[in-house]
Amino acid sequence: MIETTALAKSYGEHRAVVDLSLRIARGEVYAFLGPNGAGKTTTIRMLMGILVPTGGRAQIAGLNCHAQRAELMRQVGYLPDTPVFY
């Protein structure tokens, strides 16, 4: 259902997410925990197609999170801490 392979995001010299690979199957439930600055929000924003990864890939339900963002948004509910209107 959710799959990332070597997902990465850098802001200049700062590496926010480094080589994140995970696979979450349909029906599994996971918590995304970590200290402030660990890259949780950055990862979620890449999964929602809001941010473009600097490396790797991310898919949800077989859809490329960036290239197929419009279709992804039709299938996934996402409520950010600061709402953005599409």
Side-chain angles (χ1 to χ4, degrees):
M1 181 54 96
I2 300 172
E3 184 175 354
T4 68
T5 305
L7 192 63
K9 180 66 177 176
S10 295
Y11 298 96
E13 295 294 316
H14 179 72
R15 294 171 19 162
V17 177
V18 181
D19 296 331
L20 175 64
S21 295
L22 60 89
R23 175 179 274 164
I24 302 171
R26 181 180 298 274
E28 292 182 321
V29 178
Y30 279 78
F32 204 46
L33 304 173
N36 290 343
K40 301 176 301 292
T41 300
T42 300
T43 300
I44 296 296
R45 288 180 178 165
M46 286 189 288
L47 288 172
M48 293 297 100
I50 297 167
L51 291 177
V52 179
T54 54
R57 66 178 181 84
Q59 292 183 321
I60 297 178
L63 298 171
N64 180 289
C65 292
H66 182 69
Q68 296 174 290
R69 181 173 186 238
E71 179 61 27
L72 179 68
M73 296 307 285
R74 288 185 198 101
Q75 297 186 32
V76 175
Y78 169 62
L79 180 62
D81 57 346
T82 304
V84 176
F85 297 101
Y86 302 101

